[in-house]
Amino acid sequence: MAFVTANWNPLGEAFYRKIELYEMGWNLRDGLRDCLVAAAPYGGPIALLKEPQRRSPSARPQLEIYSSSGVSMASFAWKSGPVKQLGWTVSDDLLCVQEDGTVLIYDLFGGFKRHFSMGNEVLQNHVMEAKVFHSPYGTGVAIITGAFRFTLATNIDDLKLRRLPEIPGLQGAPSCWAVLTQDRQSKVLLANGVDLFILDNTACTPVTPPGLSPQANSIVHMTVSFSYKYLALFTDSGHVWMGPTNLKDKLSEVETKVRTPPRQMVWCRRPKSQQPSVVIMWDRHLLVAGECKDTIQAGLSTVAVSVLDPMFGYHLDDESVLVPELDGVRIISGTHHELLQEVPAACEEIFKIASMAPGALLLEAHKEYEKESQKADEYLREIKEQSLLGEAVRQCVEAAGYEHEPETQKSLLRAASFGKCFLSNFPPEQFVSMCRDLRVLNAVREYTVGIPLTHSQYKQMTVQVLIDRLVYRKLYPLAIEICRYLKTPEYQGVSRVLKHWACCKVQQKEEADEVIARAVSVKLGEAAGISYSEIAAGAYECGRTELAIKLLEFEPRSGEQVPLLLKMKRSQLALSKAIESGDTDLVYTVVTYLKNEMNRGDFFMTLRNQPVALSLYRQFCKYQEQDTLKDLFNQDDDHQELGNFYVRASYQEGKLEARLSLLQSAVDEYNKAKNEFAAKATEEEMRLLRFQRRVEEEKGERVLGYSLQDTMHCLLAAGLHKQAEQLYKDFRVPDKRYWWLKLSALAEKEDWDELEKFAKSKKSPIGYLPFVEVCVKHHNKYEAKKYVSKVNPEQKVKAHLAVGELEGAAEAAIERRSEPEISLVLSRCSPATDSAILDRLNRARATATKK
Amino acid sequence: MISLADRKMAAHLSYGRVNLNILREAARKELREFLDKCAGSKAIVWDEYLTGPFGLIAQYSLLKEHEVEKMFTLKGGRLPAADVKNIIFFVRPRLELMDIIAENVISEDKLRSPRDFHILFVPRHSLLCEQRLKEQGVLGSFINIDEYILDLIPYDGDLLSMESESAFRECYLESDQTSLYHTAKGLMTLQALYGTIPQIFGKGECARHVANMMLRMKREFAGSQTQILPVFDTLLLLDRNVDLLTPLATQLTYEGLIDEIYGITNGYVKLPPEKFAQKKQGEGGKDLPNEPKKLQLNSAEELYAEIRDKNFNAVGAALSKKAKIISAAFEERHNAKTVGEIKQFVSQLPHMQAARSSLANHTSIAELIKDITTSEAFFDNLTVEQEFMTGVDTDKVNTYIEDSIAQKDPLIKILRLVCMQSVCNNGLKQKVLDHYKREILQTYGYEHILTLSNLEKTGLLKPQTGTRNSYPTIRKTLKLWMEDANEQNPNDISYVYSGYAPLSVRLTQLLARPGWRSIEEVLKMLPGPHFEERQQLPAGLHKKRQQGENRTTLVFFLGGVTYAEIAALRFLSQMEDGGTEYIIATTKLINGTSWVKSLMDRLETLPF
């Protein structure tokens, strides 16, 4: 504790520190020499491929996967082609880029997942160099081929290969290159000698870094920061140029005095820090270069600080690899795993020698308090006098988050807790959540888990992702513990972990279906929102159909069960589940599937037992397969519907004979259905059609297809009274309707003589008011008046009014002593009306009302 | 990005007891998200049926903001030329539409720069349709295939509709329960936004089915429950076939009559233009507009909100009262003396002018309607309807119907009357029924045998079976006929049909008070089961009711609801001691004509 600052190095305004994360658990005979190494950011796994160039079939290179602490997770002999590059995806899958442009994807435990190709051009010209990069769109791969052309895939899960344009004037390989993400697009930045170019989808644009040292003849190395915001260039003159990736200005340029091209160079920055700095590695030498105005140079073995140098260095005992993180750089060697980072401001304030910052004083006060010394009070007083106690607590809590050693964390948190006692109304959230976060972080940093996350990284990646990572590593119990500890909602937390556990469980071939199903149901029983169908799908994928069916029974969402049941050829079951879900589209889907799968007889039988499916299928057939519809009705002996079917079909026929024959089928079916009315009506229809044809043939009157009423109307209008009469008798048309019909037909024809004859033929079954009204409608009041006298007394008033005889109407109304009728007549009177009539009406109304 | 105009458009959705604008906003958000998924300029190809319902959710301005540059109607052949990056098909999941889309995609000009295709299924994605696209070999051509879950569309401040025209036909005639599935899904969405509804009541087979699906879905989504304080206390699911009578009767409220006579579609009505002709000087009489006048009808219009639910006989008085108020307001200007007063007057001017033009519109509409309601034909028809509803001579052949057939009045009018007689008599004597059917077939054509068969299958038309006619008992117990209906100042829901109280609404009213237990006997006479379900609320979400606070009930009409029924429910909401406020949801807003039409089998007859 007392030596917290022992590993600090000052650079510019800030200090840098190197913390040991792990002593590596692996046992590598030759360290990292001759190895292709890929370590995933956020404390991810490490992949090693030893001697990737060795191609003799007898001695295949070994691919090994370790956790960050060097615990082995997988190891197998590499049997595919020569590998140019290894890299990790955002979901902890390993990408192996082969020389021929094939990219193979493995999971954390070395299980092969899939592969894809980077295209023909890559296949022909081979991969010269490849880089795996991360962007907001996922994990990407960039390749430069032997023909010096770039091919890029921004997201390997949604593979869209882009071949970037040619670089003008490029004769050989570029001296160095890097992938940038700018304006929502991935681009390549490359150097050819001292010239820089940006390659995007469409163009190759030359760019110049402002203020690059004129001594430089070539840019030999470059690196882009974790956030893609900053760029560092290393020149053959030994200069390091640092600036933003948009190349608008320069942050710093440092002369390293080393002219050998470095093995690796990475940015070492923490978010919001003002301090630009890059870490440069040669074989055994590590250099941290910062701002020019105040620099540090280090000797070769131990740290020596010279105040004026913009850099300092470390000696490396062993071949190492640098892994950039968002708040520092991890250094992995054959034996150790360290973190190099800028000392966070809160830690610097507290631990800097002779610091008088409130946090530092609070930590001191607490130390004295534990020693039961009264000095504690003095320190506290000093802070309180400046009203900085709140600030002090906040500083201690924040600093605890940055510390790696649980002991240091504890002492800082204890100090914070101690300080809090002297504050009222201090919000507890920050303290509480920091305690929680650290508990989680310490658990995952633990050697056996081996995820050395910093607090900043943890906040950036979120708990959700951390849980996912633990799940990928099959650390289910720990994941569940964390979910429960953080009270993550079940749906996103425990249930999700359990689902992954179950998916993994079903792959255990040695256990019996029964045992697994029971184990799964017991564990998952209580958890909410579990998708059993996904688990079942997992079981089915590894060939365990029976187990899948057993698991599906636990699925509460019947709709979810259907696709898998179909895939497993359990179509009957799928049908009942689809019906249960109420989702008719799903029922349709299963029905279509069944139709293709079964013979017709079985298919119909199946439907017969499922009325819901049957009626849906009928609907489908009605629009899509008329013939099948008929078969369905036949099977059910549904004669009524068959009758309707034939009727419907008959109207699609343009030929009379064909229509008649379909209608005859309809009649037969209606008879079988004992629907006498429909059978008779259809027979009538056939009779009418035949009659119509005859009329057309004999009289040339177009009536085919008309209704009975319209046919008669037509005939009457054409003067074919005999034929109309015949229909009237044959079809037993009610007198009333026939009279109405003949009346309007004759009036329309203005055949007034015939109308009069008709009126006199016998007593009208509809009375004579219609005669009056129809004549008026056809503007013949003269004819209308002929019938007024025949109208029965109840309707006489109306009749008189219709022909405009006010006086007659008045007479009739008064005679009938009907108040409403008298009022009706009155309402039709105008100022021009004879006043005598008016008087009589009014008087009559008075008496009628009195009654 | 919501334009101001648009926000104003939907303001009427927020004023009710339940803010239905939340639902609309959720729907709009989803639409925007989908549009943004297809980056670049776009053209939308519409399934024409959807344009109306979509109009209730988003105006063209919203689409335009998201780079929609062109709109086409879906039809066969090649797509019209449009220089856009994306072509998006907005379609219902129907196989016949998939065939048209396939044709569009296949005949796309290969030489032009390629356009990206997308499909948006409304209201739900369909595997069956995808399968069809696959068979047609075009499935791979689509970049995005998405669904736009548009089940319940906010139609007015207290009204949700699925705008599904054929729902009744599908459910009761074709045993296709797709729309019920959508109903259940829609109610789940509603509950996600407005909290779990603790009590569910229902009457009818479809109601039972929907409730079952809802309860099942709730189990399926266990664990993802939203912690929202329930807005609705009760859900009442009603099958349309529990009350077949009401839609057959002619609605006598203002809005109901507009719908009966002119038809309201998706909140708009088209009216004959003559009465709306602007009299401009010097233009003469020859420039009468021939385009029908299109008006939007909803509660955003103050005057309309006031009169829509009144019996038409009370509308005239309301309009003239309003006219006086408005002219008095305009007269105020003479009293405005000081600058301040004038300023005040001017600031109110736009509102007053809007009120005046609204008054002019509704006066014209009322005149149009009055011409019809005062006609003899309307009166005779109404008289027969009322006779049937009061049980006069329902067992005999009706002369008016016979005469109407003989004069070949519109078939739908005849069908409405015959069905009404059948419903009011709990079925017609075989002889009477056959007589009507024969008359119809002989007059209108034998092809209507299929329509008659459909009406029989749905129970609208049926032969009397041995049992006693139960309609009089139902009428008396539920007080469906009120002799002294007060049209001007109603005290009972029966004012909406000038005497007849809609059965569906009576059931709703009795459920709230005193409860259905009191009418068990009558409920048993009506088709389908009646039931009650309770949904467990998450701990801590139990509402503590304030004293005098009203309950909120969502009444869902499965198979359609009429404007008169809505008016009756609104009347109940406003009753001072009612204690319950109603929000109405339905598969579709219907009237007798549109309803019977949906049940007709219209054959495309091949001519000889």
Side-chain angles (χ1 to χ4, degrees), chain A residues 558 580 584-585 624 641 651 684 707 709-710 732 734 736-737 798, chain B residues 126-127 132 178 216 376 402 408 438-439 442-443 446 457 606:
Chain A
S558 30
E580 211 174 280
T584 45
D585 180 56
Q624 305 283 332
E641 280 303 330
Y651 284 97
E684 247 185 52
S707 77
Q709 188 86 343
D710 293 346
R732 294 187 294 116
K736 277 185 178 174
R737 178 148 57 84
K798 267 191 181 174
Chain B
S126 152
L127 289 169
R132 173 58 67 97
T178 307
R216 160 178 285 282
E376 206 166 312
E402 270 189 320
K408 219 179 169 195
R438 231 169 78 86
E439 289 290 281
Q442 288 195 346
T443 308
Y446 289 98
K457 260 196 258 176
L606 214 66

mmCIF file of all heavy atoms in Angstrom, chain A residues 558 580 584-585 624 641 651 684 707 709-710 732 734 736-737 798, chain B residues 126-127 132 178 216 376 402 408 438-439 442-443 446 457 606:
data_model
loop_
_atom_site.group_PDB
_atom_site.id
_atom_site.type_symbol
_atom_site.label_atom_id
_atom_site.label_comp_id
_atom_site.label_asym_id
_atom_site.label_seq_id
_atom_site.Cartn_x
_atom_site.Cartn_y
_atom_site.Cartn_z
ATOM 1 N N SER A 558 -47.591 -21.977 -27.901
ATOM 2 C CA SER A 558 -47.781 -23.069 -28.842
ATOM 3 C C SER A 558 -47.322 -22.679 -30.249
ATOM 4 O O SER A 558 -46.833 -23.514 -30.987
ATOM 5 C CB SER A 558 -49.234 -23.520 -28.864
ATOM 6 O OG SER A 558 -50.084 -22.455 -28.559
ATOM 7 N N GLU A 580 -54.111 -24.476 -31.506
ATOM 8 C CA GLU A 580 -54.135 -24.005 -30.126
ATOM 9 C C GLU A 580 -53.695 -22.544 -30.033
ATOM 10 O O GLU A 580 -54.227 -21.783 -29.234
ATOM 11 C CB GLU A 580 -53.164 -24.874 -29.330
ATOM 12 C CG GLU A 580 -53.522 -25.089 -27.891
ATOM 13 C CD GLU A 580 -52.548 -26.095 -27.288
ATOM 14 O OE1 GLU A 580 -52.741 -27.302 -27.507
ATOM 15 O OE2 GLU A 580 -51.588 -25.661 -26.630
ATOM 16 N N THR A 584 -54.066 -18.089 -37.292
ATOM 17 C CA THR A 584 -54.560 -18.807 -38.460
ATOM 18 C C THR A 584 -53.493 -18.951 -39.539
ATOM 19 O O THR A 584 -53.488 -19.917 -40.285
ATOM 20 C CB THR A 584 -55.784 -18.093 -39.044
ATOM 21 O OG1 THR A 584 -55.501 -16.707 -39.104
ATOM 22 C CG2 THR A 584 -56.994 -18.309 -38.172
ATOM 23 N N ASP A 585 -52.604 -17.997 -39.606
ATOM 24 C CA ASP A 585 -51.539 -18.099 -40.602
ATOM 25 C C ASP A 585 -50.698 -19.346 -40.346
ATOM 26 O O ASP A 585 -50.293 -20.050 -41.262
ATOM 27 C CB ASP A 585 -50.662 -16.846 -40.549
ATOM 28 C CG ASP A 585 -49.533 -16.907 -41.557
ATOM 29 O OD1 ASP A 585 -49.834 -17.082 -42.750
ATOM 30 O OD2 ASP A 585 -48.368 -16.818 -41.151
ATOM 31 N N GLN A 624 -58.385 -20.553 -54.293
ATOM 32 C CA GLN A 624 -57.214 -21.084 -54.992
ATOM 33 C C GLN A 624 -57.464 -22.401 -55.720
ATOM 34 O O GLN A 624 -56.891 -22.647 -56.758
ATOM 35 C CB GLN A 624 -56.053 -21.270 -53.994
ATOM 36 C CG GLN A 624 -55.707 -20.018 -53.218
ATOM 37 C CD GLN A 624 -54.905 -19.035 -54.043
ATOM 38 O OE1 GLN A 624 -54.189 -19.428 -54.940
ATOM 39 N NE2 GLN A 624 -55.029 -17.751 -53.740
ATOM 40 N N GLU A 641 -73.804 -27.663 -49.381
ATOM 41 C CA GLU A 641 -72.678 -26.873 -49.896
ATOM 42 C C GLU A 641 -72.323 -27.287 -51.321
ATOM 43 O O GLU A 641 -71.908 -26.463 -52.127
ATOM 44 C CB GLU A 641 -71.458 -26.994 -48.978
ATOM 45 C CG GLU A 641 -71.513 -26.107 -47.740
ATOM 46 C CD GLU A 641 -71.692 -24.622 -48.082
ATOM 47 O OE1 GLU A 641 -71.228 -24.185 -49.143
ATOM 48 O OE2 GLU A 641 -72.317 -23.910 -47.271
ATOM 49 N N TYR A 651 -72.535 -20.171 -62.832
ATOM 50 C CA TYR A 651 -72.467 -18.793 -63.296
ATOM 51 C C TYR A 651 -71.153 -18.461 -63.981
ATOM 52 O O TYR A 651 -70.998 -17.404 -64.549
ATOM 53 C CB TYR A 651 -72.763 -17.822 -62.149
ATOM 54 C CG TYR A 651 -74.238 -17.783 -61.836
ATOM 55 C CD1 TYR A 651 -74.773 -18.549 -60.806
ATOM 56 C CD2 TYR A 651 -75.099 -17.023 -62.604
ATOM 57 C CE1 TYR A 651 -76.127 -18.545 -60.542
ATOM 58 C CE2 TYR A 651 -76.460 -17.010 -62.361
ATOM 59 C CZ TYR A 651 -76.972 -17.772 -61.322
ATOM 60 O OH TYR A 651 -78.307 -17.768 -61.083
ATOM 61 N N GLU A 684 -86.767 -24.326 -61.215
ATOM 62 C CA GLU A 684 -87.457 -23.181 -61.804
ATOM 63 C C GLU A 684 -86.503 -22.363 -62.659
ATOM 64 O O GLU A 684 -86.839 -21.953 -63.756
ATOM 65 C CB GLU A 684 -87.955 -22.279 -60.672
ATOM 66 C CG GLU A 684 -89.451 -22.224 -60.539
ATOM 67 C CD GLU A 684 -89.850 -21.214 -59.476
ATOM 68 O OE1 GLU A 684 -89.409 -20.040 -59.524
ATOM 69 O OE2 GLU A 684 -90.584 -21.609 -58.576
ATOM 70 N N SER A 707 -83.750 -11.988 -64.647
ATOM 71 C CA SER A 707 -84.578 -12.593 -63.607
ATOM 72 C C SER A 707 -85.981 -12.775 -64.156
ATOM 73 O O SER A 707 -86.327 -12.217 -65.204
ATOM 74 C CB SER A 707 -84.611 -11.693 -62.375
ATOM 75 O OG SER A 707 -85.475 -10.608 -62.601
ATOM 76 N N GLN A 709 -88.804 -11.664 -63.097
ATOM 77 C CA GLN A 709 -89.500 -10.382 -63.122
ATOM 78 C C GLN A 709 -89.066 -9.551 -64.322
ATOM 79 O O GLN A 709 -89.892 -9.022 -65.049
ATOM 80 C CB GLN A 709 -89.186 -9.628 -61.817
ATOM 81 C CG GLN A 709 -89.977 -8.380 -61.611
ATOM 82 C CD GLN A 709 -91.322 -8.662 -60.956
ATOM 83 O OE1 GLN A 709 -91.786 -9.816 -60.945
ATOM 84 N NE2 GLN A 709 -91.952 -7.644 -60.411
ATOM 85 N N ASP A 710 -87.745 -9.487 -64.520
ATOM 86 C CA ASP A 710 -87.237 -8.671 -65.621
ATOM 87 C C ASP A 710 -87.640 -9.260 -66.966
ATOM 88 O O ASP A 710 -87.888 -8.523 -67.925
ATOM 89 C CB ASP A 710 -85.713 -8.553 -65.524
ATOM 90 C CG ASP A 710 -85.296 -7.748 -64.311
ATOM 91 O OD1 ASP A 710 -86.183 -7.080 -63.719
ATOM 92 O OD2 ASP A 710 -84.110 -7.788 -63.939
ATOM 93 N N ARG A 732 -96.299 -19.451 -61.190
ATOM 94 C CA ARG A 732 -97.205 -19.126 -60.097
ATOM 95 C C ARG A 732 -96.817 -17.798 -59.428
ATOM 96 O O ARG A 732 -96.606 -17.708 -58.221
ATOM 97 C CB ARG A 732 -97.260 -20.261 -59.064
ATOM 98 C CG ARG A 732 -97.903 -21.527 -59.676
ATOM 99 C CD ARG A 732 -98.128 -22.603 -58.657
ATOM 100 N NE ARG A 732 -96.867 -23.125 -58.141
ATOM 101 C CZ ARG A 732 -96.467 -23.026 -56.879
ATOM 102 N NH1 ARG A 732 -97.225 -22.437 -55.995
ATOM 103 N NH2 ARG A 732 -95.318 -23.535 -56.509
ATOM 104 N N PRO A 734 -97.380 -14.407 -57.819
ATOM 105 C CA PRO A 734 -98.529 -13.851 -57.096
ATOM 106 C C PRO A 734 -99.178 -12.735 -57.903
ATOM 107 O O PRO A 734 -98.475 -11.948 -58.547
ATOM 108 C CB PRO A 734 -97.916 -13.298 -55.811
ATOM 109 C CG PRO A 734 -96.598 -13.960 -55.684
ATOM 110 C CD PRO A 734 -96.150 -14.333 -57.044
ATOM 111 N N LYS A 736 -100.590 -9.982 -57.072
ATOM 112 C CA LYS A 736 -100.202 -8.625 -56.707
ATOM 113 C C LYS A 736 -98.948 -8.197 -57.455
ATOM 114 O O LYS A 736 -98.884 -7.118 -58.015
ATOM 115 C CB LYS A 736 -99.906 -8.559 -55.218
ATOM 116 C CG LYS A 736 -101.119 -8.390 -54.338
ATOM 117 C CD LYS A 736 -100.533 -8.222 -52.988
ATOM 118 C CE LYS A 736 -101.349 -7.989 -51.829
ATOM 119 N NZ LYS A 736 -100.566 -8.006 -50.605
ATOM 120 N N ARG A 737 -97.951 -9.076 -57.396
ATOM 121 C CA ARG A 737 -96.692 -8.675 -58.031
ATOM 122 C C ARG A 737 -96.875 -8.533 -59.542
ATOM 123 O O ARG A 737 -96.335 -7.625 -60.170
ATOM 124 C CB ARG A 737 -95.599 -9.691 -57.702
ATOM 125 C CG ARG A 737 -94.265 -9.379 -58.360
ATOM 126 C CD ARG A 737 -93.086 -9.830 -57.516
ATOM 127 N NE ARG A 737 -93.115 -11.239 -57.210
ATOM 128 C CZ ARG A 737 -92.644 -12.188 -58.047
ATOM 129 N NH1 ARG A 737 -92.140 -11.853 -59.206
ATOM 130 N NH2 ARG A 737 -92.705 -13.436 -57.696
ATOM 131 N N LYS A 798 -105.266 10.591 -50.824
ATOM 132 C CA LYS A 798 -103.959 10.514 -51.477
ATOM 133 C C LYS A 798 -104.092 10.578 -52.982
ATOM 134 O O LYS A 798 -103.311 11.246 -53.667
ATOM 135 C CB LYS A 798 -103.268 9.192 -51.106
ATOM 136 C CG LYS A 798 -102.361 9.286 -49.904
ATOM 137 C CD LYS A 798 -101.557 7.993 -49.821
ATOM 138 C CE LYS A 798 -100.636 7.985 -48.628
ATOM 139 N NZ LYS A 798 -99.981 6.692 -48.487
ATOM 140 N N SER B 126 -46.992 -13.125 -42.649
ATOM 141 C CA SER B 126 -47.622 -14.412 -42.936
ATOM 142 C C SER B 126 -46.651 -15.380 -43.593
ATOM 143 O O SER B 126 -46.051 -15.085 -44.625
ATOM 144 C CB SER B 126 -48.820 -14.182 -43.852
ATOM 145 O OG SER B 126 -49.054 -15.313 -44.629
ATOM 146 N N LEU B 127 -46.499 -16.519 -42.955
ATOM 147 C CA LEU B 127 -45.624 -17.547 -43.507
ATOM 148 C C LEU B 127 -46.182 -18.053 -44.830
ATOM 149 O O LEU B 127 -45.445 -18.351 -45.765
ATOM 150 C CB LEU B 127 -45.528 -18.724 -42.528
ATOM 151 C CG LEU B 127 -44.744 -18.467 -41.248
ATOM 152 C CD1 LEU B 127 -44.954 -19.605 -40.277
ATOM 153 C CD2 LEU B 127 -43.273 -18.337 -41.574
ATOM 154 N N ARG B 132 -45.642 -18.450 -50.712
ATOM 155 C CA ARG B 132 -46.118 -18.196 -52.054
ATOM 156 C C ARG B 132 -45.069 -17.409 -52.854
ATOM 157 O O ARG B 132 -44.788 -17.713 -54.004
ATOM 158 C CB ARG B 132 -47.449 -17.450 -51.995
ATOM 159 C CG ARG B 132 -47.998 -16.968 -53.329
ATOM 160 C CD ARG B 132 -48.213 -18.076 -54.352
ATOM 161 N NE ARG B 132 -49.257 -18.999 -54.005
ATOM 162 C CZ ARG B 132 -50.508 -18.938 -54.456
ATOM 163 N NH1 ARG B 132 -50.858 -17.996 -55.280
ATOM 164 N NH2 ARG B 132 -51.393 -19.830 -54.086
ATOM 165 N N THR B 178 -59.384 -15.629 -38.191
ATOM 166 C CA THR B 178 -58.193 -14.789 -38.285
ATOM 167 C C THR B 178 -58.396 -13.441 -37.593
ATOM 168 O O THR B 178 -57.547 -13.002 -36.828
ATOM 169 C CB THR B 178 -57.847 -14.545 -39.764
ATOM 170 O OG1 THR B 178 -57.769 -15.808 -40.400
ATOM 171 C CG2 THR B 178 -56.533 -13.817 -39.902
ATOM 172 N N ARG B 216 -54.289 -17.037 -22.824
ATOM 173 C CA ARG B 216 -53.148 -17.861 -23.238
ATOM 174 C C ARG B 216 -51.932 -16.985 -23.544
ATOM 175 O O ARG B 216 -50.819 -17.262 -23.100
ATOM 176 C CB ARG B 216 -53.543 -18.669 -24.467
ATOM 177 C CG ARG B 216 -52.370 -19.180 -25.287
ATOM 178 C CD ARG B 216 -52.851 -19.995 -26.450
ATOM 179 N NE ARG B 216 -53.308 -21.305 -25.996
ATOM 180 C CZ ARG B 216 -52.477 -22.292 -25.692
ATOM 181 N NH1 ARG B 216 -51.175 -22.108 -25.780
ATOM 182 N NH2 ARG B 216 -52.940 -23.450 -25.300
ATOM 183 N N GLU B 376 -92.125 10.078 -47.881
ATOM 184 C CA GLU B 376 -93.088 9.057 -47.528
ATOM 185 C C GLU B 376 -92.408 7.691 -47.454
ATOM 186 O O GLU B 376 -92.678 6.894 -46.573
ATOM 187 C CB GLU B 376 -94.196 9.041 -48.584
ATOM 188 C CG GLU B 376 -95.497 8.528 -48.055
ATOM 189 C CD GLU B 376 -96.620 8.846 -49.033
ATOM 190 O OE1 GLU B 376 -96.691 10.017 -49.482
ATOM 191 O OE2 GLU B 376 -97.381 7.943 -49.352
ATOM 192 N N GLU B 402 -93.865 -7.019 -49.513
ATOM 193 C CA GLU B 402 -94.314 -7.568 -50.793
ATOM 194 C C GLU B 402 -94.366 -6.483 -51.863
ATOM 195 O O GLU B 402 -93.867 -6.667 -52.979
ATOM 196 C CB GLU B 402 -95.724 -8.151 -50.623
ATOM 197 C CG GLU B 402 -95.727 -9.602 -50.225
ATOM 198 C CD GLU B 402 -97.148 -10.156 -50.297
ATOM 199 O OE1 GLU B 402 -98.092 -9.423 -49.905
ATOM 200 O OE2 GLU B 402 -97.303 -11.285 -50.754
ATOM 201 N N LYS B 408 -89.607 -3.663 -57.159
ATOM 202 C CA LYS B 408 -88.158 -3.879 -57.293
ATOM 203 C C LYS B 408 -87.337 -2.781 -56.608
ATOM 204 O O LYS B 408 -86.438 -2.185 -57.216
ATOM 205 C CB LYS B 408 -87.754 -4.012 -58.758
ATOM 206 C CG LYS B 408 -86.686 -5.075 -58.911
ATOM 207 C CD LYS B 408 -86.236 -5.295 -60.339
ATOM 208 C CE LYS B 408 -84.996 -6.168 -60.343
ATOM 209 N NZ LYS B 408 -84.291 -6.168 -61.610
ATOM 210 N N ARG B 438 -88.918 -16.960 -52.432
ATOM 211 C CA ARG B 438 -89.340 -17.126 -53.811
ATOM 212 C C ARG B 438 -89.524 -15.770 -54.485
ATOM 213 O O ARG B 438 -89.102 -15.560 -55.621
ATOM 214 C CB ARG B 438 -90.668 -17.891 -53.838
ATOM 215 C CG ARG B 438 -90.681 -19.087 -54.760
ATOM 216 C CD ARG B 438 -91.918 -19.912 -54.514
ATOM 217 N NE ARG B 438 -93.094 -19.306 -55.135
ATOM 218 C CZ ARG B 438 -93.456 -19.517 -56.408
ATOM 219 N NH1 ARG B 438 -92.757 -20.319 -57.166
ATOM 220 N NH2 ARG B 438 -94.519 -18.931 -56.904
ATOM 221 N N GLU B 439 -90.155 -14.879 -53.760
ATOM 222 C CA GLU B 439 -90.366 -13.542 -54.298
ATOM 223 C C GLU B 439 -89.037 -12.885 -54.652
ATOM 224 O O GLU B 439 -88.910 -12.259 -55.698
ATOM 225 C CB GLU B 439 -91.111 -12.666 -53.274
ATOM 226 C CG GLU B 439 -92.571 -13.029 -53.073
ATOM 227 C CD GLU B 439 -93.413 -12.667 -54.295
ATOM 228 O OE1 GLU B 439 -93.757 -11.480 -54.449
ATOM 229 O OE2 GLU B 439 -93.687 -13.586 -55.080
ATOM 230 N N GLN B 442 -87.379 -14.726 -57.710
ATOM 231 C CA GLN B 442 -88.036 -14.467 -58.983
ATOM 232 C C GLN B 442 -87.837 -13.022 -59.440
ATOM 233 O O GLN B 442 -87.754 -12.752 -60.628
ATOM 234 C CB GLN B 442 -89.541 -14.756 -58.860
ATOM 235 C CG GLN B 442 -89.828 -16.240 -58.758
ATOM 236 C CD GLN B 442 -91.293 -16.567 -59.009
ATOM 237 O OE1 GLN B 442 -92.155 -15.688 -59.008
ATOM 238 N NE2 GLN B 442 -91.575 -17.844 -59.217
ATOM 239 N N THR B 443 -87.747 -12.129 -58.467
ATOM 240 C CA THR B 443 -87.643 -10.730 -58.842
ATOM 241 C C THR B 443 -86.206 -10.288 -59.110
ATOM 242 O O THR B 443 -85.922 -9.590 -60.066
ATOM 243 C CB THR B 443 -88.239 -9.839 -57.733
ATOM 244 O OG1 THR B 443 -89.552 -10.312 -57.446
ATOM 245 C CG2 THR B 443 -88.301 -8.386 -58.175
ATOM 246 N N TYR B 446 -82.173 -15.715 -59.643
ATOM 247 C CA TYR B 446 -81.958 -16.938 -58.853
ATOM 248 C C TYR B 446 -80.568 -17.005 -58.229
ATOM 249 O O TYR B 446 -80.335 -17.752 -57.294
ATOM 250 C CB TYR B 446 -82.214 -18.171 -59.723
ATOM 251 C CG TYR B 446 -83.681 -18.345 -60.035
ATOM 252 C CD1 TYR B 446 -84.212 -17.912 -61.243
ATOM 253 C CD2 TYR B 446 -84.524 -18.924 -59.100
ATOM 254 C CE1 TYR B 446 -85.562 -18.052 -61.517
ATOM 255 C CE2 TYR B 446 -85.877 -19.073 -59.366
ATOM 256 C CZ TYR B 446 -86.400 -18.623 -60.574
ATOM 257 O OH TYR B 446 -87.729 -18.762 -60.815
ATOM 258 N N LYS B 457 -77.234 -19.130 -42.844
ATOM 259 C CA LYS B 457 -76.124 -19.701 -42.073
ATOM 260 C C LYS B 457 -75.726 -18.813 -40.895
ATOM 261 O O LYS B 457 -75.296 -19.302 -39.856
ATOM 262 C CB LYS B 457 -74.912 -19.918 -42.979
ATOM 263 C CG LYS B 457 -74.789 -21.380 -43.416
ATOM 264 C CD LYS B 457 -73.427 -21.653 -43.969
ATOM 265 C CE LYS B 457 -73.484 -21.686 -45.479
ATOM 266 N NZ LYS B 457 -72.179 -21.846 -46.111
ATOM 267 N N LEU B 606 -70.879 -14.782 -65.874
ATOM 268 C CA LEU B 606 -70.385 -14.727 -67.238
ATOM 269 C C LEU B 606 -71.594 -14.531 -68.151
ATOM 270 O O LEU B 606 -72.558 -15.277 -68.068
ATOM 271 C CB LEU B 606 -69.682 -16.050 -67.566
ATOM 272 C CG LEU B 606 -68.503 -15.944 -68.503
ATOM 273 C CD1 LEU B 606 -67.378 -15.161 -67.842
ATOM 274 C CD2 LEU B 606 -68.040 -17.323 -68.879
#
